[in-house]
Amino acid sequence: MDAMELVTFSMNGTEWRLRDVLKLACMEGGFSAIEDSIRRAVTLEFAEQHNISIDEQEWKAKANEMRLQLGLYSVAETLAWLSMRGLATVDLFETAKARFLTEKVKRIVSEDRIDTYFLENRLSFDKANVSQLVIGSREQAQELLFQLEEGEPFYKLAQTYCLNSSSKYDGGYVGWVGRAELSGEEESFVFGSEAGQTVGPFPFGSFYRLLHIWEVIPAELTGEVRLKLADLLFEEWLNEAVKKARVDVRLWRYLAGEQLG
């Protein structure tokens, strides 16, 4: 039987064969399992070239972590889950090893670049906690500003007048935003203001909005930010490494009818 004619899954009595699934993957621009495998292969090759290794205790701990994340709390549950997918315990262990090696590679390729990247992009990590009041005209916005100056609470005006339904009933509360989430004019006023101030009105699509600033936190290289930067820098490195790798996805050629040995 041609492997491409294998039934991948059925839904409500309709069968989807492997050829159908792969054609869809081609049309949609990718097949994540192949792409993920290529990324893992590039990472493991780097680990091998740089003699990065892990000991048994490390990968066994990672395997247990994976098992718990899957909701498998006993040996019997784990073996049943693996068997249902045509897998064995060794497959779980190999995946655990690969994930742990990936974490080590991530540290190696990103650690020396985090501080420099943060300094060069510091402003993009500033945060402000804000509420918004979206209204239909500049004139109405000015009138609401006068009411705020007279002591009317921002949240009450937002609940009454805000045209943005997702924030109206929360008193206009938006939450934490970065500079990139604001227009240039908004960014300048929000991050140049003090807590408790309301700024605007600013054009907001076909509307206008006032922004109330609850708190502004200048960027700091905290542990959380370091982790985010490590992920970002690793992704940059990995994407570039994949581009440079000589990759031949033979499965696509098989789909096109080429006989592969």
Side-chain angles (χ1 to χ4, degrees), residues 22 74 108 124 166 228:
L22 294 177
S74 69
I108 289 172
S124 65
S166 64
K228 289 181 178 179

Side-chain angles (χ1 to χ4, degrees), residues 104-145:
K104 285 198 169 186
V105 171
K106 181 191 296 186
R107 287 198 294 270
I108 289 172
V109 301
S110 66
E111 189 63 34
D112 292 340
R113 299 176 57 202
I114 289 176
D115 292 274
T116 300
Y117 186 94
F118 177 77
L119 290 174
E120 292 175 348
N121 299 275
R122 189 186 190 99
L123 290 180
S124 65
F125 296 98
D126 289 341
K127 296 189 300 182
N129 198 6
V130 302
S131 290
Q132 68 176 3
L133 209 172
V134 180
I135 46 273
S137 68
R138 184 180 291 275
E139 292 73 23
Q140 185 184 18
Q142 291 292 352
E143 172 58 33
L144 293 176
L145 272 176

Side-chain angles (χ1 to χ4, degrees), residues 22 42 50 67 131:
L22 294 177
V42 167
H50 292 78
R67 180 173 56 79
S131 290

Side-chain angles (χ1 to χ4, degrees), residues 107-217:
R107 287 198 294 270
I108 289 172
V109 301
S110 66
E111 189 63 34
D112 292 340
R113 299 176 57 202
I114 289 176
D115 292 274
T116 300
Y117 186 94
F118 177 77
L119 290 174
E120 292 175 348
N121 299 275
R122 189 186 190 99
L123 290 180
S124 65
F125 296 98
D126 289 341
K127 296 189 300 182
N129 198 6
V130 302
S131 290
Q132 68 176 3
L133 209 172
V134 180
I135 46 273
S137 68
R138 184 180 291 275
E139 292 73 23
Q140 185 184 18
Q142 291 292 352
E143 172 58 33
L144 293 176
L145 272 176
F146 293 145
Q147 293 187 43
L148 288 168
E149 290 172 1
E150 291 172 358
E152 192 69 22
F154 188 94
Y155 76 92
K156 285 189 175 181
L157 292 179
Q159 289 175 337
T160 303
Y161 297 104
C162 187
L163 299 177
N164 181 274
S165 58
S166 64
S167 59
K168 176 176 182 174
Y169 300 107
D170 290 327
Y173 186 66
V174 174
W176 291 99
V177 297
R179 292 176 180 270
E181 296 166 79
L182 303 171
S183 70
E185 186 181 12
E186 289 174 338
E187 175 195 347
S188 176
F189 275 89
V190 167
F191 287 97
S193 301
E194 297 180 356
Q197 288 186 278
T198 299
V199 293
F202 306 105
F204 188 64
S206 57
F207 303 100
Y208 289 86
R209 74 170 173 176
L210 302 173
L211 291 171
H212 183 79
I213 300 132
W214 297 104
E215 188 177 3
V216 175
I217 299 182

